[in-house]
Amino acid sequence: MKSHTSDRIKFPPGFWAGLCQLGISAHDVARKARLPLTIISEPLVTTAQYFAIWQAYSDLIGDTAKGIIKLATVFETAKYPPSVLATYHARDYRDALNRMARYKQLCPPESLRITEEGELCTIELEWLHTGQP
């Protein structure tokens, strides 16, 4: 399990390929994020860089929700980390959610909290190490 005290986050190289499939240049995202172009080939980024990349993508795509859906649909599953692929082989939806919660402990600066009370299930996503929305 990754310690959330670290300021280095694994960044999937498939993200940049997904941008290309959407017609968005990785260089444009890096420039918009005010990061060096070498960030595109870095396997680890800082928390600040992570959020800058996502903010730049959001700004370029226009609609954040649609942008995330578009990226998820063009992202090649062969480029998913094994921990994400594990959710696709879950026994059921609950198992998939629990597997995703474990994945969130490994890479992104976020925590996925799942709470069940009777027939009600609440899923909360919490960003770690940032004051940004």
Side-chain angles (χ1 to χ4, degrees), residues 9-80:
I9 300 161
K10 291 179 186 178
F11 200 79
F15 170 83
W16 303 108
L19 291 181
C20 183
Q21 290 181 303
L22 291 174
I24 297 172
S25 166
H27 289 155
D28 289 344
V29 172
R31 282 189 202 102
K32 180 84 174 160
R34 296 187 177 141
L35 297 172
L37 297 179
T38 56
I39 199 76
I40 296 165
S41 61
E42 292 293 325
L44 298 171
V45 298
T46 67
T47 302
Q49 291 169 331
Y50 181 88
F51 283 102
I53 291 167
W54 281 104
Q55 184 62 56
Y57 171 65
S58 176
D59 292 346
L60 289 170
I61 201 79
D63 181 328
T64 304
K66 286 182 183 176
I68 290 170
I69 292 169
K70 284 181 180 182
L71 189 59
T73 58
V74 299
F75 200 97
E76 295 180 40
T77 54
K79 296 189 184 220
Y80 283 156

Side-chain angles (χ1 to χ4, degrees), residues 98-118:
N98 287 321
R99 289 175 187 221
M100 184 55 69
R102 284 191 300 275
Y103 162 72
K104 297 291 184 184
Q105 295 173 343
L106 298 173
C107 299
E110 56 194 40
S111 172
L112 191 62
R113 186 178 21 239
I114 303 164
T115 308
E116 292 184 68
E117 294 179 25

